[in-house]
Amino acid sequence: AVPQSYIVSLSHLSMKPLRMNNTCIVPTLLMLWMVLSGSASTRAEEVEETEDEREFDYMRGSEKGPHHWGELKKEWSACKHGQMQSPIDLSCARVKIIPRCQLLLTDYFSSNATIINRGHDIAIYWKGDAGSIDINGTEFFLKQCHWHSPSEHSINGRKYDLEMHMVHVSMENKIFVSGAFYKIGHRPDRFLSQLEKEIEHLVDGEVERQIGEINPSGIQTRGNMYYRYLGSLTTPPCTEGVIWNIDRKIRTVSEAQVRLLRKAVHDHAVRNSRPRQPRNQRDILYFRFKSRAKSKK
């Protein structure tokens, strides 16, 4: 995790973009990258969320609930004492608007995947190379995606029915999470529709199931307006130094799909979202991107 000495306020920096080699670079992001590429390296075990989710839960009043995560294990102390924890409220009154100059480049393609019931959520793990996302010249490789209901982040205090996280890791073990909001509507989510039969097998008691090649491009997370801030994993060990990129576009999901995701897990909880955490003067950047993506079969 990023040590206390690396926690900085970026609000004093100019927000005028610099142009270098036809690429827009924002000074605030340069400072953010200095934080992430400093001497504090993230250990491999800190990159992964806890897979055995029986060790914690989301129940109110539970001794293993969110307010006690940081007390359950020494390695989880950031959940209680961290100053850059996630999720947070993405308040429009607090954002710093960045000119439309950044290019968000995704390069996802089909790879063998496994669907896993982790106890509190359903996750898709790609076993091979499923592609990556390029952020300011650094490549983050897609590892897994999972869902939380209701959403963990909020916009101006409003939560949504579902939030999806795509977890990426760089060669230096830095973490980038791409998030998307969903509200219940008449149109189901196409990616979840593709997985419904596999999720139903988990309802029947299976914990892990090989599902063949899955193309993450089908998740459809490419909008052109994003929130970005520096935070943490939202489950133990709550590792800090995570770059969050939350899509402003609200997608639709069917009520049946949200119910299926909760029915399949083993904890019988009606929700699996961590309470919002203090912002602690962190900058929230708001981008208008020109997105570009390509997909390989």
Side-chain angles (χ1 to χ4, degrees), residues 50-57 64 76 118-120 266:
T50 300
E51 289 193 14
D52 185 359
E53 295 194 345
R54 293 172 298 180
E55 298 180 293
F56 67 95
D57 62 41
K64 297 192 297 182
W76 297 0
R118 300 196 298 182
H120 299 311
H266 299 152

Side-chain angles (χ1 to χ4, degrees), residues 188-217:
D189 177 63
R190 287 188 295 174
F191 186 71
L192 278 173
S193 294
Q194 178 185 351
L195 298 171
E196 283 178 6
K197 289 185 178 180
E198 307 296 346
I199 298 174
E200 287 170 357
H201 283 287
L202 302 183
V203 174
D204 294 333
E206 289 190 51
V207 175
E208 183 173 327
R209 184 176 178 84
Q210 306 295 323
I211 56 176
E213 288 196 349
I214 297 293
N215 192 331
S217 296

Side-chain angles (χ1 to χ4, degrees), residues 41-42 138-139 169-174:
S41 60
T42 304
T138 296
E139 199 169 12
V169 181
S170 73
M171 295 297 291
E172 296 77 26
N173 277 342
K174 305 305 179 185

